[in-house]
Amino acid sequence: MTSERTRFYRDKQNSKIMGVCAGIGDYTGIDPLLVRIGFLGLTFVSGGATIPFYFLVGLLANKKPQHLYIADKQEQKFWQGVRQSPARTARDVKGQLREIDRRLADVELYYTSSNARLSDEIERLR
């Protein structure tokens, strides 16, 4: 899975220092504030050993491309789901497409069947 939308990026628009915690929050779907609090807690527990790793990730990770900043929350949740479980997301999309296909078949059946009431309504509109 090497799609541009499924990679980890530093989130510079929502960043406080280098965008690492905001990037982790965006990647996992966790609120960046909770990621920052967790990072601070881990820093205090480890005696500051996590700080070099933070800066290392900040230097090595790419910045999030501008075109990937999504205004639509539903699309953002979709891509977070793809990153977390691609198989489950594919099943969900397949189920949604099946439901749309079923509903379309119902509409087609309704319009192609010999429905006297529908025929009368169409004739009235002419």
Side-chain angles (χ1 to χ4, degrees):
M1 181 176 13
T2 59
S3 173
E4 189 176 53
R5 294 186 181 273
T6 58
R7 294 187 56 206
F8 171 75
Y9 295 106
R10 291 181 297 137
D11 187 357
K12 292 299 284 178
Q13 279 190 347
N14 301 315
S15 68
K16 296 297 181 195
I17 298 175
M18 294 181 80
V20 174
C21 290
I24 292 171
D26 180 52
Y27 186 79
T28 60
I30 299 171
D31 184 15
L33 178 63
L34 295 176
V35 174
R36 290 182 185 111
I37 291 170
F39 177 77
L40 286 174
L42 192 60
T43 300
F44 286 123
V45 168
S46 69
T50 58
I51 293 175
F53 292 110
Y54 179 89
F55 286 106
L56 185 66
V57 170
L59 292 173
L60 295 177
N62 295 328
K63 285 191 291 187
K64 188 174 185 179
Q66 192 64 31
H67 68 278
L68 291 181
Y69 286 100
I70 302 169
D72 184 17
K73 292 291 183 189
Q74 186 176 6
E75 186 175 350
Q76 184 178 9
K77 283 194 167 291
F78 171 78
W79 286 109
Q80 287 169 349
V82 169
R83 288 189 290 263
Q84 292 170 357
S85 176
R88 186 182 70 216
T89 303
R91 263 193 322 270
D92 291 346
V93 169
K94 190 176 181 180
Q96 289 173 349
L97 290 175
R98 251 192 236 125
E99 176 64 19
I100 290 170
D101 189 44
R102 185 196 58 77
R103 290 172 52 200
L104 186 59
D106 289 346
V107 169
E108 183 181 356
L109 180 66
Y110 181 77
Y111 281 110
T112 58
S113 66
S114 59
N115 188 338
R117 194 184 96 215
L118 178 63
S119 297
D120 292 341
E121 288 180 27
I122 291 173
E123 288 301 319
R124 266 189 313 170
L125 292 174
R126 290 184 184 185

